[in-house]
Amino acid sequence: MSEISRFAEISDGVKDAAPVLVAVAPFSAVFGAVAIEQGLSFQEMLLACLTIYAVASQYVMVELLGQGVPAWSVVLSVFAINFRHVLYSAAIGRSMGNFSGPQKALAFFFLVDPQYAASEARAARSGLRPTYYFAYAATVYVTWIVTSSLGALFGSLIENVERYGVDFILPLYFTGLVVGFHKRPSFLPVLVVSGVVSLAVYFTIGTPWHITLGGLAGLVVAAVLSRPESDELGQLEQKNA
């Protein structure tokens, strides 16, 4: 890859990540403030951000720790919420032909929700390369760390955070991510089944299992509705025979 094309890949990664920061920055800042409020030290909060790097599970972790829940229950809850990342890695791994083994391992660490959506779109549009992927990842990751730290240091100065409607940003952002896949085959049935199962689990078993089971239900529907390319070719050959 030439220096010009490498620069273009980096530029595209940073540019595509920029809109995501509008959702990431306030939530990471609030997380930093909440973590300190729940009794974590600044160093513990920073370590969680650096190593876990998953907004939903970090919020759950802090909340459960504040309630004195046993460590095994905290780990299980975080695993349930983050299980969707296993599905993400299985899906995007098919587009990582340009990645070396170590690059794939590092890439999967950064595979949060917006990273997956952007990488899928990039792979479909022009192919996915490490330069683009890690430029996008670094932009979001650094913002997450910096704004979480700022929230931890200065969050106590902001009173009544709820009045700013920050809790509305993340659902709105995730809705945008989902809608971005509306042209994919079987989008609507997968969406409907995932949503119905997720709601049913939420009101019966409870959180956080609705995230994992809703995602698995959508995966099953996608698998049932998909048809291997070899089968399609075989049927076409039978028609032409």
Side-chain angles (χ1 to χ4, degrees):
M1 181 183 294
S2 67
E3 288 299 322
I4 296 178
S5 59
R6 180 175 283 106
F7 177 80
E9 290 274 316
I10 295 174
S11 177
D12 287 347
V14 174
K15 185 165 53 179
D16 289 350
V20 177
L21 306 184
V22 177
V24 170
F27 259 85
S28 55
V30 171
F31 168 76
V34 170
I36 299 300
E37 183 180 329
Q38 292 291 340
L40 270 67
S41 67
F42 179 83
Q43 291 78 10
E44 290 170 336
M45 181 284 304
L46 185 59
L47 181 63
C49 291
L50 289 169
T51 57
I52 300 176
Y53 186 44
V55 57
S57 58
Q58 286 184 223
Y59 269 101
V60 170
M61 176 196 72
V62 168
E63 182 178 348
L64 294 178
L65 288 174
Q67 297 173 2
V69 174
W72 66 266
S73 182
V74 176
V75 172
L76 187 61
S77 298
V78 170
F79 174 80
I81 294 174
N82 278 357
F83 185 79
R84 70 189 187 280
H85 292 204
V86 176
L87 307 180
Y88 289 166
S89 62
I92 199 63
R94 299 172 300 176
S95 303
M96 288 184 165
N98 294 314
F99 289 64
S100 66
Q103 285 176 330
K104 281 186 179 181
L106 182 60
F108 289 147
F109 170 76
F110 290 114
L111 193 57
V112 291
D113 301 282
Q115 182 81 47
Y116 170 71
S119 299
E120 280 282 357
R122 183 74 174 189
R125 188 166 60 247
S126 57
L128 184 62
R129 297 175 180 81
T131 309
Y132 171 88
Y133 188 100
F134 289 116
Y136 187 105
T139 303
V140 178
Y141 184 69
V142 170
T143 301
W144 169 253
I145 301 302
V146 171
T147 50
S148 294
S149 300
L150 291 174
L153 293 172
F154 305 109
S156 60
L157 302 178
I158 303 176
E159 297 181 357
N160 193 16
V161 178
E162 293 81 2
R163 68 180 178 179
Y164 297 105
V166 175
D167 56 337
F168 184 69
I169 296 177
L170 200 60
L172 185 64
Y173 171 70
F174 278 120
T175 300
L177 287 183
V178 173
V179 172
F181 290 97
H182 70 280
K183 293 184 179 179
R184 296 294 180 92
S186 306
F187 169 80
L188 188 58
V190 170
L191 175 65
V192 171
V193 171
S194 296
V196 169
V197 171
S198 183
L199 286 172
V201 173
Y202 179 82
F203 287 111
T204 53
I205 301 175
T207 184
W209 297 105
H210 65 294
I211 298 175
T212 298
L213 296 180
L216 287 175
L219 181 65
V220 170
V221 173
V224 170
L225 295 179
S226 65
R227 181 179 299 173
E229 190 173 322
S230 58
D231 290 350
E232 293 181 355
L233 291 174
Q235 291 186 9
L236 185 61
E237 290 175 356
Q238 289 180 0
K239 289 181 180 179
N240 295 333

